[in-house]
Amino acid sequence: MLMPRNVRLFAALLYASLGLDALSVAFQDRTPTGAITEDVILMANIVAAALIMVLLHLVRLASEERRNWSRWLLVASLGLSVLSLIQIVGSDGLQFDSMIEVVSCTLTAAGLYYAFTGDAKGWFNR
């Protein structure tokens, strides 16, 4: 069975969002300070990379293997990302890093919109 158009758009937008997240992590400031050591920075990068890999797997499960539960986990992940973004923008203001996250969240929201509308409705059967 061919993948519906909305499911292809869902996957493309979420992969673009995760690619943007990976670029964001790659270009983060890794300068150790008194409060943040090199080990903490290394662990934060490892956790970020692992999270991106898990989210990539969830997108693949939803789009290719038609897993409904992974689509809902992606919705929950978007909710947590938006809450985190609101907290960061509230404390630090809108900076370049947070602007990248706004674009990433927007791409994810658009992709999830496509996952729940149009010809994608019948795709997720498990």
Side-chain angles (χ1 to χ4, degrees):
M1 176 181 227
L2 291 176
M3 189 181 297
R5 177 183 176 273
N6 279 19
V7 176
R8 286 193 314 267
L9 288 170
F10 154 73
L13 288 169
L14 265 75
Y15 286 140
S17 170
L18 291 171
L20 194 59
D21 290 341
L23 283 174
S24 174
V25 169
F27 291 110
Q28 281 180 346
D29 183 21
R30 293 188 182 90
T31 307
T33 63
I36 301 174
T37 65
E38 288 181 20
D39 293 336
V40 171
I41 293 170
L42 176 64
M43 188 53 77
N45 288 331
I46 290 171
V47 168
L51 184 60
I52 290 171
M53 295 301 292
V54 167
L55 292 171
L56 281 170
H57 186 65
L58 288 174
V59 172
R60 189 191 67 75
L61 283 174
S63 62
E64 295 176 17
E65 296 191 20
R66 304 170 71 172
R67 307 292 181 160
N68 189 39
W69 59 267
S70 69
R71 178 175 61 157
W72 283 104
L73 280 178
L74 290 166
V75 170
S77 171
L78 174 63
L80 293 173
S81 294
V82 168
L83 289 175
S84 172
L85 183 61
I86 289 170
Q87 182 182 9
I88 290 170
V89 170
S91 65
D92 298 339
L94 196 59
Q95 298 177 349
F96 183 71
D97 292 345
S98 56
M99 193 61 189
I100 291 174
E101 292 302 318
V102 166
V103 172
S104 176
C105 284
T106 304
L107 288 171
T108 301
L112 287 169
Y113 168 78
Y114 284 115
F116 285 93
T117 59
D119 57 2
K121 288 180 184 177
W123 181 256
F124 303 97
N125 59 5
R126 300 180 197 180

PDB file of all heavy atoms in Angstrom, residues 14 107 124:
ATOM      1  N   LEU A  14       8.549  16.403  10.195  1.00  0.00           N
ATOM      2  CA  LEU A  14       9.181  16.005  11.457  1.00  0.00           C
ATOM      3  C   LEU A  14      10.663  15.701  11.276  1.00  0.00           C
ATOM      4  O   LEU A  14      11.473  16.033  12.145  1.00  0.00           O
ATOM      5  CB  LEU A  14       8.441  14.837  12.104  1.00  0.00           C
ATOM      6  CG  LEU A  14       7.432  15.347  13.136  1.00  0.00           C
ATOM      7  CD1 LEU A  14       6.212  15.943  12.497  1.00  0.00           C
ATOM      8  CD2 LEU A  14       7.114  14.334  14.154  1.00  0.00           C
ATOM      9  N   LEU A 107       7.441  23.454  12.809  1.00  0.00           N
ATOM     10  CA  LEU A 107       7.514  22.357  11.846  1.00  0.00           C
ATOM     11  C   LEU A 107       6.883  21.086  12.402  1.00  0.00           C
ATOM     12  O   LEU A 107       6.153  20.378  11.709  1.00  0.00           O
ATOM     13  CB  LEU A 107       8.974  22.085  11.447  1.00  0.00           C
ATOM     14  CG  LEU A 107       9.650  23.097  10.550  1.00  0.00           C
ATOM     15  CD1 LEU A 107      11.140  22.793  10.437  1.00  0.00           C
ATOM     16  CD2 LEU A 107       9.005  23.113   9.183  1.00  0.00           C
ATOM     17  N   PHE A 124      -3.031   4.987  10.410  1.00  0.00           N
ATOM     18  CA  PHE A 124      -2.522   4.535  11.704  1.00  0.00           C
ATOM     19  C   PHE A 124      -3.534   3.561  12.308  1.00  0.00           C
ATOM     20  O   PHE A 124      -4.517   3.952  12.900  1.00  0.00           O
ATOM     21  CB  PHE A 124      -2.291   5.734  12.627  1.00  0.00           C
ATOM     22  CG  PHE A 124      -1.349   6.729  12.035  1.00  0.00           C
ATOM     23  CD1 PHE A 124      -1.820   7.846  11.379  1.00  0.00           C
ATOM     24  CD2 PHE A 124       0.016   6.527  12.083  1.00  0.00           C
ATOM     25  CE1 PHE A 124      -0.948   8.772  10.814  1.00  0.00           C
ATOM     26  CE2 PHE A 124       0.896   7.430  11.507  1.00  0.00           C
ATOM     27  CZ  PHE A 124       0.402   8.553  10.873  1.00  0.00           C
TER      28      PHE A 124
END
